[in-house]
Amino acid sequence: TRPENTDSRCGFVAIVGRPNVGKSTLLNHILGQKLSITSRKPQTTRHQILGIKTEGPVQAIYVDTPGMHEEEPRALNRYMNRAASAALKHVDVVVFVVDRHHWTPADEMVLNKLTHLTCPVILAVNKVDKLEKRETLLPVLEELAAKRDFAEIIPMSALKDQNIEPLEEAVSRFLPESVHFYPDDQITDRSERFVAAEIVREKITRQLGAELPYSVAVEIEEFRHDGKTLHISALILVEREGQKKIVIGDKGERLRRIGQEARADMERMFDGKVMLRLWVKVKRGWADSDRALKSLGMHD
Ligand code: GDP
Ligand code: MG
Ligand code: K
């Protein structure tokens, strides 16, 4: 926190949008760090993540909501929907991310959840790098503008880092005057353990793609610094024996690759030598059980 002065601003920013529009990619670019995992598969963001960006007098605290999507009977999806709605209640600005090339029923659903919000909603029209003709953008923007009274409409590309700065400027204009809630050098409220687990989960998702649904959880069993090296043991929980085989791969090759890639990221993130050990265990039906979710720390 800094002493109160008139230009000091601070507030919460929710990034919302259906799965796969680029919310995590955007957050990662804004923060310049790998805090929120991204992949081609929807629903990879299970937790509500705070990423803190302080620039001079402005501190923006970003909440990356899990993808909003149709109700599904499984406990995991119920949890994700609750988390998504809860995230919107106490924010100062909402960034609604959509894909420039199609508006879907899922976008409509997210828009409906924004109906009663009184805070400004900025529409971020993402993936404009995929536009073949620039002139096709204008009619799309006009069509989107008619859907709600947006505070700003900003075409951008999270992936190619196009127009992200104007988006951040728009966000900071809508943040209230306030002292900063976090120290200016803090980038997340998440523990290093949490970040370690997210890194492992990202590598699994990237390696396995469509072979594995979102039925993988990672628990950090050991996180210990011995003065020279950071020792991390992570338990990978899957739902079925067959999934365990897939994660481990032929002669352990896949698990080894997941470990190598995760360790490289961890050494960058934690700025030092990391010794990483991975275990795979079958925990039957964990995605179906509310109790199991609670034991994994995923409850609201
Ligand atoms: P989320 O589910 O909304 O968090 O979406 P992600 O950030 O995980 O992104 C989903 C996919 O879209 C990934 O393959 C990203 O690389 C891709 N993506 C995100 N932003 C852009 C963009 O601006 N342009 C293009 N071409 N792809 C993007
Ligand atoms: Mg995401
Ligand atoms: K995703």
Side-chain angles (χ1 to χ4, degrees), residues 42-216:
Q43 301 180 354
T44 46
T45 306
R46 236 180 248 164
H47 299 80
Q48 180 181 318
I49 295 174
L50 287 185
I52 305 159
K53 172 82 173 269
T54 307
E55 226 159 42
V58 181
Q59 180 166 81
I61 304 163
Y62 286 91
V63 191
D64 181 25
T65 59
M68 296 197 208
H69 46 87
E70 281 87 341
E71 208 47 58
E72 254 214 55
R74 287 163 53 108
L76 186 57
N77 283 316
R78 281 204 306 277
Y79 161 79
M80 288 166 65
N81 273 315
R82 280 204 306 273
S85 304
L88 291 181
K89 280 193 187 124
H90 306 284
V91 298
D92 301 293
V93 186
V94 169
V95 177
F96 178 22
V97 185
V98 298
D99 185 323
R100 66 65 185 106
H101 78 276
H102 45 204
W103 179 266
T104 71
D107 293 300
E108 196 68 41
M109 220 186 67
V110 178
L111 182 72
N112 287 340
K113 293 202 184 200
L114 306 179
T115 311
H116 300 293
L117 289 182
T118 51
C119 73
V121 176
I122 298 170
L123 183 69
V125 184
N126 193 29
K127 308 198 185 184
V128 294
D129 58 289
K130 287 186 3 192
L131 274 181
E132 270 146 37
K133 295 196 185 119
R134 303 272 323 160
E135 59 268 28
T136 58
L137 184 59
L138 218 54
V140 170
L141 294 183
E142 273 167 12
E143 199 182 307
L144 291 169
K147 292 185 187 292
R148 190 203 152 96
D149 188 13
F150 293 109
E152 299 253 355
I153 299 181
I154 300 179
M156 53 161 266
S157 167
L159 194 67
K160 300 278 156 72
D161 211 339
Q162 290 166 0
N163 246 17
I164 293 180
E165 245 174 66
L167 176 64
E168 287 189 79
E169 278 163 25
V171 164
S172 54
R173 269 202 304 282
F174 296 118
L175 293 178
E177 278 182 18
S178 164
V179 294
H180 294 181
F181 302 150
Y182 294 96
D184 287 0
D185 58 356
Q186 190 169 334
I187 56 163
T188 181
D189 75 332
R190 296 292 176 175
S191 69
E192 292 183 319
R193 276 173 176 263
F194 174 85
V195 172
E198 286 291 273
I199 289 173
V200 173
R201 219 158 58 75
E202 183 204 33
K203 298 310 170 195
I204 296 167
T205 312
R206 282 207 184 270
Q207 286 271 333
L208 299 183
E211 281 183 79
L212 210 64
Y214 39 97
S215 52
V216 176

